[in-house]
Amino acid sequence: MTSPTWHEKAANLKFETRSFIGGEMVELTGGHFETINPADGSVLAAISQASQADVDRAVADGLKAFKSGSWSRMAPRDRMAVLYRFADLIEDSVELLALLDTLDMGKPINDMVTIDVPSAAHTIRFSAECIDKMTGTTTATPDNVLHYTTREPLGVVACIVPWNYPLLMAVWKIAPALAGGNSVVLKPAEQSPLSAVHLARLFVEAGGPPGVFNVINGMGEVAGKGLALHMDVAKVSFTGSTEVGKLMMIYSGQSNMKRVALECGGKTPQLLMGDLPDIATAAKTAAWGIYNNMGEVCNAGSRLLVDKKIHDEFLFSFMREAESWVPADPLLESTNMGPLVTFEHQKRVLNYIDIGKQDGAQLAFGGNVPQGLEKGAYVAPALFTGVGPKMRIAQEEIFGPVAAVIPVDGIENAIEVANDTIYGLAAGIWTSDLSTAHRLAREVEAGTIWVNCFDEGDMTQPFGGYKQSGSARDKCMDAVLAYTQSKSTWVKLG
């Protein structure tokens, strides 16, 4: 007997439309919104959405659980054990979690099974391993004084996450927040609400106390804003657009001066210098860097700054590599490009392609709705050549499969063009010269730099940006510490 296909598994799937508060599934009171399958436009489910009263309830339950000490004062090794079981349960639920995100936002099913779900479990395990490594200090003092510092959780943390990696971005937030001993209220993007409640249920199944991990679905204007303005929320951790990130800072000042951690937009350059070690490898990596996840990646390498010495050779190699990126049904395991997240976003990306043409860039290929896929929110991978560094497609975040080749003349020009943007999330550098590599890594204004590779790393690597790409760092030990606060205790002896 053959195993059921992903289509057959999807057909038998039942969607949870409620949210999760206080350890229970809850029907919210703000009405309903539809979540749409972007591959064919069909309605997946009508999801109950939060009113302000639901926001208040979720925060109150989180605060109650925090003050009870059921999680915040649990012995470190016991808290670690819960998170390890949580990670195991995520891996055991790979098919369900993979299907939910694929149907919800169009991500290829193979990416979910091989990348997103395993990475989510790995992130939780790493955060768990940090718990008993968060130590305080004692300092040198006079003989009649004992001074020591300790780290304590913040309280209720609101995690507001985007739709491009619904499961993984949620875990990037909740894992360090939970490891720090906090309670969490997770607000998924309204475009991809399906997988978050299952995360919360798995946490409780793993032994997490009720009320520690809550999920509320809803609109950003109500649920997201309500959390950011809430007087009992100690921190907002937000990944999304720069525009909304700025609002998070305003809401913090208008309420209780809560901490705000931001990971926002990007317009990542790949600096391809004339002496790069291998044009074929650079071109293959650059194609992956912009077309992976349909270009819906905050650090997508959308600006290809190509030295004039290798411009034509690189362009030929890149165009050949791009042929392997073909939009198709995301439930097929062979697919490497699915649809964009919504039809609204499809229109936005297609509009930017029109803007590129109007501004004088040359569309080398793609940028259309692929034939036979008109029912979905698909856009064929696109490449613009002859792009000026001041053009809108070189300055503004498109968040789609659109690459822009910008010719540069040497190191100085490459640095100037790379830094000529409001963003500073990441950058790729390609060169055979060690001095050039280190100089560019120092001069390029970005929080994450890759040399002769792109978008690689592990959990020890901080991820976050400079300038208007945000202020926070995800992954790494520092990310866990950022969900705690230090306390200084000065004891007079004798």
Side-chain angles (χ1 to χ4, degrees), residues 246-323:
K246 292 178 180 180
L247 291 176
M248 294 293 121
M249 299 178 76
I250 293 172
Y251 298 150
S252 170
Q254 290 176 341
S255 55
N256 59 346
M257 295 179 65
K258 58 178 62 65
R259 298 187 184 194
V260 179
L262 301 176
E263 195 270 276
C264 298
K267 195 67 179 175
T268 296
Q270 297 234 41
L271 288 71
L272 299 129
M273 307 313 298
D275 64 348
L276 61 78
D278 183 347
I279 285 182
T281 298
K284 182 177 182 178
T285 305
W288 181 88
I290 180 57
Y291 300 138
N292 172 58
N293 205 50
M294 297 73 72
E296 296 169 326
V297 185
C298 52
N299 62 282
S302 57
R303 293 190 295 153
L304 305 179
L305 281 53
V306 185
D307 193 288
K308 293 178 180 180
K309 295 176 183 178
I310 60 167
H311 179 276
D312 292 348
E313 186 179 358
F314 174 83
L315 195 60
F316 175 80
S317 187
F318 181 90
M319 293 175 71
R320 184 172 55 192
E321 291 293 342
E323 293 176 358

Side-chain angles (χ1 to χ4, degrees), residues 384-402:
F384 278 101
T385 61
V387 177
K390 295 293 187 181
M391 290 183 181
R392 287 184 63 186
I393 59 170
Q395 289 287 324
E396 299 176 14
E397 186 177 36
I398 299 173
F399 222 66
V402 183

Side-chain angles (χ1 to χ4, degrees), residues 138-475:
T138 58
T139 61
T141 59
D143 289 344
N144 64 337
V145 169
L146 171 64
H147 175 236
Y148 60 92
T149 64
T150 51
R151 303 207 70 89
E152 298 181 352
L154 299 170
V156 178
V157 174
C159 299
I160 303 174
V161 298
W163 45 257
N164 59 331
Y165 289 86
L167 175 71
L168 187 54
M169 290 298 98
V171 168
W172 274 21
K173 303 296 186 188
I174 66 164
L178 291 170
N182 302 282
S183 293
V184 167
V185 179
L186 171 64
K187 191 268 196 240
E190 54 264 34
Q191 297 88 347
S192 55
L194 293 177
S195 60
V197 292
H198 291 279
L199 270 181
R201 292 171 69 174
L202 292 177
F203 174 75
V204 172
E205 184 179 340
V212 171
F213 183 5
N214 306 284
V215 175
I216 52 170
N217 281 308
M219 300 297 107
E221 297 85 351
V222 177
K225 183 178 180 180
L227 288 169
L229 283 169
H230 206 288
M231 297 297 291
D232 288 331
V233 170
K235 178 174 180 174
V236 169
S237 185
F238 171 83
T239 294
S241 70
T242 297
E243 178 185 8
V244 177
K246 292 178 180 180
L247 291 176
M248 294 293 121
M249 299 178 76
I250 293 172
Y251 298 150
S252 170
Q254 290 176 341
S255 55
N256 59 346
M257 295 179 65
K258 58 178 62 65
R259 298 187 184 194
V260 179
L262 301 176
E263 195 270 276
C264 298
K267 195 67 179 175
T268 296
Q270 297 234 41
L271 288 71
L272 299 129
M273 307 313 298
D275 64 348
L276 61 78
D278 183 347
I279 285 182
T281 298
K284 182 177 182 178
T285 305
W288 181 88
I290 180 57
Y291 300 138
N292 172 58
N293 205 50
M294 297 73 72
E296 296 169 326
V297 185
C298 52
N299 62 282
S302 57
R303 293 190 295 153
L304 305 179
L305 281 53
V306 185
D307 193 288
K308 293 178 180 180
K309 295 176 183 178
I310 60 167
H311 179 276
D312 292 348
E313 186 179 358
F314 174 83
L315 195 60
F316 175 80
S317 187
F318 181 90
M319 293 175 71
R320 184 172 55 192
E321 291 293 342
E323 293 176 358
S324 65
W325 291 90
V326 181
D329 182 351
L331 287 173
L332 297 175
E333 291 187 358
S334 59
T335 296
N336 61 8
M337 290 192 81
L340 300 185
V341 65
T342 63
F343 291 92
E344 180 182 6
H345 188 57
Q346 178 196 41
K347 291 179 182 178
R348 181 180 185 273
V349 172
L350 292 173
N351 182 57
Y352 266 110
I353 291 169
D354 288 339
I355 289 170
K357 297 175 185 176
Q358 294 165 12
D359 286 350
Q362 290 78 52
L363 183 61
F365 61 76
N368 59 299
V369 178
Q371 187 174 0
L373 296 175
E374 293 84 359
K375 291 184 178 181
Y378 291 89
V379 173
L383 174 69
F384 278 101
T385 61
V387 177
K390 295 293 187 181
M391 290 183 181
R392 287 184 63 186
I393 59 170
Q395 289 287 324
E396 299 176 14
E397 186 177 36
I398 299 173
F399 222 66
V402 183
V405 173
I406 305 173
V408 295
D409 190 6
I411 296 173
E412 299 296 339
N413 186 216
I415 294 171
E416 178 184 5
V417 174
N419 291 338
D420 184 20
T421 170
I422 66 170
Y423 299 111
L425 185 53
I429 294 168
W430 295 83
T431 178
S432 292
D433 185 87
L434 185 62
S435 296
T436 299
H438 284 298
R439 184 185 173 201
L440 291 175
R442 184 184 68 240
E443 297 289 345
V444 172
E445 298 166 352
T448 306
I449 304 288
W450 293 285
V451 178
N452 293 335
C453 61
F454 190 76
D455 205 13
E456 295 187 11
D458 60 22
M459 288 300 298
T460 66
Q461 177 194 41
F463 181 82
Y466 286 10
K467 301 192 285 190
Q468 294 187 43
S469 287
S471 58
R473 295 295 181 267
D474 288 316
K475 308 193 302 180

